[in-house]
Amino acid sequence: MTASATMTPLTARRGGALRGSARVPGDKSISHRALILGALAVGTTRISGLLEGEDVLNTAKAMRALGAKVERTGEGAYRVDGVGVGGFQEPKGVLDFGNSGTGCRLVMGAVAGCPITATFDGDASLRRRPMRRILDPVGLMGARVTSQADGGRLPVTLMGARDPMPIVYRTPVASAQIKSAVLLAGLCAPGTTIVIESEASRDHTELMLAHFGAELRSEPDGAHGRKITLAGQPELNPAAVAVPGDPSSAAFPMVAALVVPGSDIFLPDIMTNPLRTGLIHTLREMGAAITEEEVRCDGGEAMAGFRVRASDLIGVEVPPERAPSMIDEYPVLAVAAAFARGTTVMRGLKELRVKESDRLVATAEMLRVNGIAVEISGDDLIVHGGEGVTSRNGGGQSEGVSGRGGGRVDTHLDHRIAMSALVLGLASERAVSIDDAATIATSFPDFAGLMRGLGADIG
Ligand code: S3P
């Protein structure tokens, strides 16, 4: 996405209970990976349930520019004819990833192992984000940066390695994007590429590589870490991918149902990979009524339907080691915390500073302009929830929430700040507005429509 020339403000107001069932879009992480691995396989991969958000569509465009055939055959249905590992062609133009760090960083890894040169760019938000975390390891593998903006920022021109070398790489931060970039570059290297992470991050790349026939081993390393060993130069076989619902998108209706009194909703087919469910774990510790139904497994990823009912939440302390399993969910957890009795302390959020916005500051600002007491202490976020929602769920007068809302939130080109702010507005005494809703289309194009279908007053 390029920064929208015209802003699209949007407002959420408190209304009746949220009711009914809603299907959230496909998982963003899996959608990117399905397109990239489909493009690196020899033959035809069919994908269903692909997230048709701007971030993923930019990855599809990049795969086309690199020589794969990517064809839309129906709603969320795609056919990808791959070029094989190492088979990318040099793209004619700049690869524009819009707002997407994941698309950009994973494709940098995939390009780094091929003897081609490509220029990577993105919107104002992506141009501010650090790329050295990818350029450093792929440099060790033989790729060369021929041009870059200050400090390894986009636009970056990368010359892939003619003879990529396998490496053993210990990631400096728990990041699935870094891990995935090294593994994707490692596909082109002879011998074994090893990535060691001290905190396990989402493992969709590993699961999908195995699904496409790569030889890969993942084993525990230390208390919370993992060591992933990939055999280089495999032939990837095309494999069907059914993309499950995105837990990071489900987080928004889920928290909305918890904090809007009387709500009772159902969200089918949400991915339940344990490296993504930190938010659900935390919300349950806070007293949330979230139950799993229709548990099943499809294409290596587990999924379930979630029933969510309005709940009296209490503040909790969220430990730093849980961050990788809920890294995208802190803004909306902060909204839940604003309606919980007592204080919620979220520890170890340094990585939030380099997301689509400085999400630590943007989350605190979102709450502050809506009258909620919040502090940042080092890398911790502390939200004072006050009296909780007990009286409201009993149908009485609101106590702890009086005076909340009424703010206009600056979303800083960050879709998750935008959606979190709207969820906040659904349960606050006064309406909450956002400056620009356009960025929501990067991950959850029909967010407002889906929420309205559940009864939310967003307009
Ligand atoms: C993602 C990894 C995470 C996450 C992002 C998606 C992925 O980023 O925040 O939304 O699909 O690999 P980091 O790897 O920077 O933690």
Side-chain angles (χ1 to χ4, degrees):
M1 194 188 77
T2 43
S4 50
T6 46
M7 306 278 260
T8 320
L10 201 60
T11 300
R13 294 181 180 80
R14 197 159 90 173
L18 303 180
R19 296 287 168 125
S21 172
R23 186 169 288 277
V24 303
D27 186 72
K28 185 150 70 72
S29 294
I30 293 186
S31 296
H32 284 297
R33 287 158 172 81
L35 289 167
I36 296 169
L37 291 194
L40 292 173
V42 178
T44 304
T45 289
R46 289 188 188 275
I47 308 170
S48 60
L50 189 93
L51 166 64
E52 296 184 290
E54 288 170 0
D55 278 11
V56 173
L57 297 178
N58 281 325
T59 293
K61 270 191 215 148
M63 293 303 104
R64 286 191 193 104
L66 290 163
K69 203 168 142 207
V70 181
E71 199 187 325
R72 186 180 194 264
T73 55
E75 199 186 320
Y78 283 76
R79 175 194 156 121
V80 183
D81 290 295
V83 294
V85 167
F88 279 159
Q89 297 164 12
E90 191 152 294
K92 291 202 175 69
V94 170
L95 302 176
D96 185 350
F97 290 91
N99 195 246
S100 179
T102 306
C104 181
R105 291 176 175 144
L106 266 55
V107 176
M108 273 183 175
V111 162
C114 301
I116 58 169
T117 296
T119 299
F120 296 76
D121 204 356
D123 69 5
S125 154
L126 193 55
R127 280 183 170 203
R128 282 192 293 268
R129 300 180 67 186
M131 294 298 155
R132 278 229 174 105
R133 52 178 57 198
I134 306 299
L135 301 175
D136 286 349
V138 300
L140 297 173
M141 301 174 90
R144 271 206 308 127
V145 175
T146 58
S147 107
Q148 59 183 295
D150 277 356
R153 302 296 203 269
L154 298 184
V156 163
T157 301
L158 187 67
M159 190 194 278
R162 197 154 290 280
D163 297 303
M165 284 168 291
I167 56 169
V168 177
Y169 194 68
R170 193 173 277 279
T171 58
V173 288
S175 160
Q177 294 175 0
I178 302 176
K179 169 177 66 179
S180 301
V182 174
L183 292 173
L184 290 170
L187 284 174
C188 296
T192 50
T193 292
I194 297 175
V195 182
I196 303 163
E197 44 183 9
S198 53
E199 303 267 353
S201 65
R202 64 190 69 192
D203 60 357
H204 308 305
T205 301
E206 297 92 300
L207 294 177
M208 206 181 288
L209 277 169
H211 186 57
F212 277 73
E215 202 185 302
L216 172 141
R217 200 170 62 245
S218 176
E219 55 204 319
D221 191 89
H224 305 288
R226 295 204 78 77
K227 176 180 173 191
I228 300 106
T229 306
L230 171 73
Q233 301 182 332
E235 175 157 314
L236 296 181
N237 305 313
V241 180
V243 184
D246 193 329
S248 298
S249 295
F252 300 104
M254 196 175 266
V255 169
L258 290 173
V259 299
V260 174
S263 298
D264 186 349
I265 66 165
F266 185 69
L267 304 168
D269 295 338
I270 306 300
M271 194 228 303
T272 55
N273 181 317
L275 293 167
R276 295 287 299 282
T277 49
L279 175 74
I280 293 170
H281 186 80
T282 304
L283 290 172
R284 283 180 172 147
E285 285 179 351
M286 295 172 83
I290 303 176
T291 50
E292 271 164 66
E293 299 169 16
E294 301 170 6
V295 178
R296 65 193 178 91
C297 194
D298 199 337
E301 294 280 4
M303 63 182 104
F306 284 95
R307 181 174 176 198
V308 188
R309 279 165 291 159
S311 303
D312 299 332
L313 303 177
I314 50 164
V316 293
E317 179 160 335
V318 189
E321 62 273 12
R322 201 177 293 162
S325 68
M326 54 181 296
I327 193 66
D328 293 333
E329 280 67 81
Y330 285 100
V332 78
L333 174 63
V335 172
F339 293 94
R341 189 159 17 94
T343 297
T344 296
V345 181
M346 300 164 231
R347 299 221 183 266
L349 307 188
K350 191 162 179 231
E351 273 295 295
L352 285 199
R353 294 192 183 274
V354 291
K355 293 296 176 190
E356 285 83 332
S357 64
D358 178 340
R359 248 183 213 162
L360 193 49
V361 170
T363 301
E365 271 309 299
M366 164 184 72
L367 297 182
R368 197 169 290 129
V369 298
N370 286 292
I372 293 140
V374 56
E375 297 151 52
I376 295 173
S377 168
D379 295 328
D380 301 341
L381 183 68
I382 302 160
V383 179
H384 301 285
E387 307 282 319
V389 291
T390 314
S391 57
R392 298 184 313 130
N393 282 331
Q397 234 1 73
S398 67
E399 287 172 9
V401 294
S402 63
R404 279 167 213 222
R408 184 182 167 90
V409 174
D410 187 349
T411 54
H412 302 280
L413 280 179
D414 189 329
H415 54 131
R416 299 199 201 280
I417 296 296
M419 290 184 276
S420 299
L422 293 171
V423 171
L424 175 63
L426 296 179
S428 294
E429 195 164 79
R430 289 180 287 152
V432 173
S433 298
I434 58 173
D435 59 348
D436 190 12
T439 186
I440 294 174
T442 60
S443 69
F444 200 155
D446 193 33
F447 171 73
L450 179 141
M451 295 302 294
R452 280 187 212 112
L454 293 170
D457 183 351
I458 296 181

